[in-house]
Amino acid sequence: MRLSILLPLPLGPLSYLAPEGAPLPPRPGLRVAVPFRKGMRVGVVVEVEDAAEGDFALRHAIGYLDAEPFLDEAGLAFLMRAAEHYFAPPGQLLADLVPFLEPPLHHEVRLVDGAVRPGLPQLALWRDAAELDPALLDELREGGVLEERVRALKPTRKTLVPLREPTEKLTPKQRAALETLRALGEAESQTALAAAAGVGPGVVRALVDKGYAGWREVELELAAPPPAGSPIRPLPVPEPPTRVSGGRHAERLQLAAGLAREGETLVLFPERYALERAYDRWPPPVLPFHGGQSPDLRRALWREAAPVVLGSYQALLMPRRWKRIVVMDEGSDSYKLASGSRAHAVRLAELRAEMLGAELHYLSLTPAVEVVEKPGLLVRPPRTRVLPIDLRRERGWPLTGRAVELLAQVPEKGRQALVLVARRGYSGRLFCKSCDWQPVCSNCDLPLRFHKPGRRGRLVCHQCGHSEPAPEVCPVCGGEVFGYAGPGVQWVAEEVRRRVPSLPVYQYSAERKDDLSPLQRGEVGVVVGTTALLRTPAPPELALVLLPYAEGFLPASDFRAPERYHRLLWQLADLHPSRSPLLALQTFEPDHPAVEALIEGDVTSVPETELVLRRMLGYPPAVRMVVLEFSHRQEATARAAAMEAAEFLKKRIGPEPEAAEPADPAGAPAPLLGPAPAPVPRVRGRYVFHLILRSHDPAQLAAWLRDLPAPKGARLRLDPDPVGFVGLLED
DNA sequence: AGCACGCCGACT
DNA sequence: GTCGGCGTGCTC
């Protein structure tokens, strides 16, 4: 018997012979341990075939880890189809979607009966394979004299337990600590026991050293913690449409719970914070499933019965026959997988639903351009109070006089404010005031960002992480005066402190997360932060949300920028569960369509306009687009590889069609663009060139890309579903 | 993805 | 004369 096995690696299925002496017949979907290279890996059986000629050369799989398939037939079929759709090896999708596939293993071996192996008499009995040389194991395996068994280890945790009765030799404090431990039964850590017994940590350590207490491995009971909040009331919609837009956050949860009421439902979330916030208020029974849970927990919950799963993309392959999949906030950037296959979880959910015959629903405040034309239901969006502050007229930078007045009212009225800045650190650029020199990253074609903590501050590349102390004098002209441009969190926070001294200022960004609990308790204050702030609960007395430079959230190089800007603004309007804080936008473009839509309370017009525009320009979703990214340390190598691929593709595509027919102005977008240097031409010391391939017909795209020759020298990476070009640069 | 194999520069 | 850089190819 021969097995086709998919490992969580960027490879297609590999062939192995079925494990010898396995108690089960092979079945697709079972997890199986296999020898791979010098070690052992866990994969999934995708196909079972009869052995064929030449199979004697194959290696034997070691053993199954499951009694019931880990992936069901529908899941396997979906996996293969998703791989095809994303031009990725199926193993890559498996690795992306089930990163917790491989449990810690217990692997034992012995020699088969009668096999004699001089020098290894101890191998007649089962022995832990970890104690043996992998090369020897492989040799014995090849020789056909090795028996193996493997199973997943039960998850355990370590706990401190009493080992002996107290004796006279103990000091009073040690005796007290031991008595405490005996009363508790166990303790999480030495420190925890010391705290519980009211003694110093040294006392507990002495107990452990003397053998009165010690560590035990106990089986870990795995369950998701129960929801923490009061459950919402589901709001069923009769004959729900594909798309539901608008509403307040809590209303959308009620609608989602209404959609899930009949069970067999996956509710898909873009990120952990949103999921946990929903889980806390979801009416039970419900199961959360996301990457914040330990791999052990995810493996334990994988088959747990629950009518409703609130999941991240990692729940997409769970072996269930969903009747309904509800995609929450389908326009969120977080759905895009940043590495590996770079798949898009919403597209994956669509494929999964289609293959299962499940109903698919999108539920968001602002519909994504991709879904805005689907039959929809509009719920009244939150009320907005918007104050555009025109930077072309108002004086003051980075805070206008108007903004300072608003901030000053916050302490007067005993309220709270958020100030949202697009950049962390102090400033996006630093320059010499006399010669205009500016520091750039040595690995990337990007200016170094200035971060202020410390006397001199540091220069940091936000792309590659390179960091160096900021110079005291200009290295070119020796000038001592520096200028700054592009205010970041630190600069704005400093400015708020200076202009409104009575207002307590907190900072919140990836690099500095102040404790916001005083604000949560209702104390007066302002938080200056990046969009990381959107992943914290809104302060209860929130009265003002200020964007000192709203366009900072509108990067020019990205065709999705207006859509994202619009979504962000609406998200701000929906931050607080009941209040409508004043949204003050300092901007050079106070009449931007996104701002106008916000003022008018319109959540669909911007995506609708964008859709028209994308059709005209031949951008997704009007076409399927794939970006090919060629990179190499040598610019010429990267460019040559891109050019060569371009030539190959040009031949494949054939002669350009004559000018698009007049009746169809959006007719045929140029199928191939580039090669062109990437928006950031050099990243981490590698030059990057882009080719863009697009077509109305995805099958056509696949045909063009089939057997694309591997580039010479350069590395080729494919973005099969580009969502903004910035993502291409990340690893 | 990892890992080995293989071919050209700075060194005990 | 070797160590080691990463470019290339393979994994059953």
Side-chain angles (χ1 to χ4, degrees):
Chain A
M1 205 71 97
R2 166 184 167 164
L3 307 179
S4 219
I5 293 171
L6 207 53
L7 297 177
L9 295 170
L11 301 173
L14 302 178
S15 300
Y16 286 85
L17 296 173
E20 287 184 319
L24 304 166
R27 273 167 83 183
L30 290 174
R31 278 179 308 170
V32 60
V34 296
F36 184 77
R37 304 215 164 224
K38 281 186 176 161
M40 185 171 51
R41 295 295 299 252
V42 173
V44 176
V45 178
V46 290
E47 226 175 313
V48 181
E49 303 155 292
D50 287 330
E53 287 284 315
D55 280 358
F56 59 86
L58 296 177
R59 299 170 89 175
H60 274 99
I62 296 169
Y64 303 111
L65 302 184
D66 302 302
E68 286 302 311
F70 190 81
L71 298 185
D72 58 17
E73 298 272 357
L76 283 171
F78 160 67
L79 191 64
M80 301 315 256
R81 174 120 166 246
E84 208 175 301
H85 179 83
Y86 278 117
F87 311 108
Q92 178 77 73
L93 263 294
L94 181 66
D96 287 353
L97 295 180
V98 198
F100 48 89
L101 179 79
E102 299 180 82
L105 297 176
H106 186 61
H107 179 202
E108 292 172 304
V109 295
R110 69 175 180 193
L111 291 178
V112 298
D113 269 353
V116 187
R117 181 80 190 182
L120 288 168
Q122 71 277 34
L123 262 187
L125 297 174
W126 285 114
R127 247 189 97 185
D128 191 342
E131 297 163 14
L132 298 160
D133 176 16
L136 171 69
L137 283 181
D138 215 42
E139 189 196 322
L140 295 173
R141 205 177 271 140
E142 289 290 302
V145 293
L146 197 65
E147 265 186 272
E148 304 183 74
R149 60 184 187 194
V150 67
R151 62 182 166 80
L153 280 172
K154 288 249 170 11
T156 58
R157 66 188 165 87
K158 283 194 161 180
T159 185
L160 192 63
V161 292
L163 296 179
R164 285 166 58 191
E165 305 277 311
T167 63
E168 295 307 310
K169 290 184 183 167
L170 292 179
T171 65
K173 278 188 178 176
Q174 289 168 352
R175 172 179 284 271
L178 186 53
E179 290 300 351
T180 308
L181 185 59
R182 281 156 60 89
L184 292 170
E186 59 173 285
E188 206 174 289
S189 67
Q190 295 190 17
T191 334
L193 175 58
V199 300
V203 178
V204 177
R205 176 183 294 194
L207 278 184
V208 174
D209 286 347
K210 291 181 184 170
Y212 289 90
W215 293 98
R216 263 293 148 68
E217 294 240 342
V218 297
E219 204 170 302
L220 188 58
E221 59 290 346
L222 290 162
S230 55
I232 46 151
R233 184 174 46 83
L235 206 63
V237 177
E239 293 180 41
T242 303
R243 168 178 68 81
V244 183
S245 312
R248 297 224 70 150
H249 176 260
E251 277 175 289
R252 288 194 300 281
L253 282 192
Q254 289 182 286
L255 288 161
L259 285 170
R261 221 169 44 142
E262 283 156 40
E264 308 299 307
T265 301
L266 168 65
V267 186
L268 189 70
F269 288 84
E271 56 182 57
R272 192 179 146 191
Y273 171 72
L275 194 159
E276 284 176 338
R277 201 152 86 111
Y279 174 66
D280 277 338
R281 305 204 48 199
W282 203 276
V286 59
L287 184 72
F289 196 91
H290 57 81
Q293 296 164 330
S294 73
D296 279 330
L297 180 55
R298 276 173 282 166
R299 282 187 289 268
L301 299 180
W302 188 245
R303 304 153 204 262
E304 192 165 304
V308 182
V309 174
L310 309 191
S312 75
Y313 68 94
Q314 293 188 13
L316 282 167
L317 263 177
M318 285 174 120
R320 306 177 187 226
R321 306 207 62 92
W322 313 111
K323 292 212 179 92
R324 206 168 243 185
I325 297 181
V326 181
V327 178
M328 302 297 287
D329 196 13
E330 74 281 352
S332 167
D333 292 340
S334 306
Y335 276 122
K336 170 79 181 171
L337 308 197
S339 60
S341 64
R342 308 202 202 181
H344 197 283
V346 175
R347 182 77 203 113
L348 291 174
E350 288 162 356
L351 269 178
R352 184 85 157 113
E354 184 190 318
M355 294 180 77
L356 283 174
E359 250 181 69
L360 187 68
H361 300 275
Y362 306 92
L363 190 35
S364 58
L365 175 49
T366 49
V369 172
E370 284 79 0
V371 310
V372 70
E373 282 196 341
K374 306 232 186 242
L377 170 74
L378 184 68
V379 184
R380 198 161 61 87
R383 197 164 66 86
T384 58
R385 292 166 55 223
V386 189
L387 177 69
I389 300 174
D390 191 340
L391 285 170
R392 293 166 304 189
R393 291 154 199 250
E394 297 278 337
R395 309 288 300 161
W397 180 253
L399 295 179
T400 58
R402 195 77 191 84
V404 173
E405 280 169 34
L406 292 171
L407 285 166
Q409 288 174 17
V410 170
E412 284 165 22
K413 296 186 176 165
R415 296 294 180 75
Q416 301 167 325
L418 298 183
V419 179
L420 209 66
V421 184
R423 203 187 292 290
R424 59 203 170 83
Y426 187 85
S427 69
R429 287 188 302 124
L430 177 74
F431 58 92
C432 167
K433 279 208 167 165
S434 46
C435 77
D436 216 31
W437 169 82
Q438 351 181 339
V440 290
C441 178
S442 50
N443 309 318
C444 312
D445 284 337
L446 280 175
L448 288 169
R449 316 296 182 189
F450 180 53
H451 288 241
K452 213 167 186 182
R455 191 134 280 283
R456 284 163 69 189
R458 296 194 71 78
L459 296 170
V460 180
C461 175
H462 284 190
Q463 188 61 239
C464 73
H466 166 83
S467 151
E468 58 190 69
E472 278 178 82
V473 298
C474 170
V476 172
C477 73
E480 292 176 14
V481 188
F482 289 102
Y484 311 95
V489 170
Q490 294 169 353
W491 184 349
V492 174
E494 201 177 278
E495 198 65 10
V496 173
R497 233 176 246 122
R498 197 170 66 81
R499 305 288 294 275
V500 193
S502 60
L503 185 58
V505 178
Y506 301 80
Q507 279 186 44
Y508 201 85
S509 72
E511 68 182 331
R512 173 171 162 182
K513 293 187 169 168
D514 288 347
D515 175 15
L516 303 182
S517 57
L519 293 178
Q520 287 308 319
R521 290 195 300 268
E523 287 179 23
V524 168
V526 57
V527 201
V528 182
T530 59
T531 47
L533 266 178
L534 303 177
R535 280 170 217 106
T536 66
E541 298 298 324
L542 184 64
L544 171 68
V545 177
L546 170 69
L547 275 61
Y549 179 51
E551 282 91 334
F553 295 99
L554 242 171
S557 70
D558 176 5
F559 70 86
R560 284 178 220 248
E563 183 191 358
R564 289 155 96 170
Y565 182 50
H566 177 246
R567 178 171 309 109
L568 172 74
L569 294 183
W570 271 109
Q571 207 179 341
L572 298 176
D574 194 31
L575 265 188
H576 194 279
S578 52
R579 286 173 189 271
S580 300
L582 180 67
L583 211 55
L585 310 171
Q586 293 192 163
T587 170
F588 287 100
E589 233 185 308
D591 42 12
H592 189 283
V595 178
E596 285 180 347
L598 194 68
I599 292 169
E600 281 158 25
D602 184 337
V603 291
T604 51
S605 68
V606 166
E608 277 163 359
T609 316
E610 283 296 304
L611 182 59
V612 172
L613 209 62
R614 304 243 193 113
R615 284 195 177 125
M616 273 161 49
L617 297 173
Y619 279 125
V623 298
R624 169 95 199 264
M625 185 157 132
V626 170
V627 177
L628 292 87
E629 179 198 271
F630 298 83
S631 69
H632 193 265
R633 308 187 77 80
Q634 245 104 50
E635 188 179 9
T637 311
R639 180 190 283 116
M643 305 236 304
E644 200 156 315
E647 288 309 314
F648 174 90
L649 290 168
K650 263 183 217 154
K651 279 196 204 113
R652 269 272 169 92
I653 293 165
E656 291 262 347
E658 299 300 311
E661 291 175 30
D664 183 13
L672 181 68
L673 301 176
V680 181
R682 191 174 54 115
V683 179
R684 291 168 209 270
R686 299 177 72 94
Y687 289 87
V688 185
F689 285 81
H690 280 171
L691 280 181
I692 297 174
L693 203 56
R694 53 184 180 172
S695 167
H696 286 119
D697 176 11
Q700 172 98 89
L701 215 53
W704 290 339
L705 282 170
R706 192 157 300 130
D707 309 317
L708 179 75
K712 288 200 192 75
R715 177 170 75 192
L716 165 60
R717 291 211 293 206
L718 211 98
D719 191 329
D721 210 338
V723 175
F725 290 99
V726 188
L728 285 171
L729 307 168
E730 285 151 17
D731 247 344

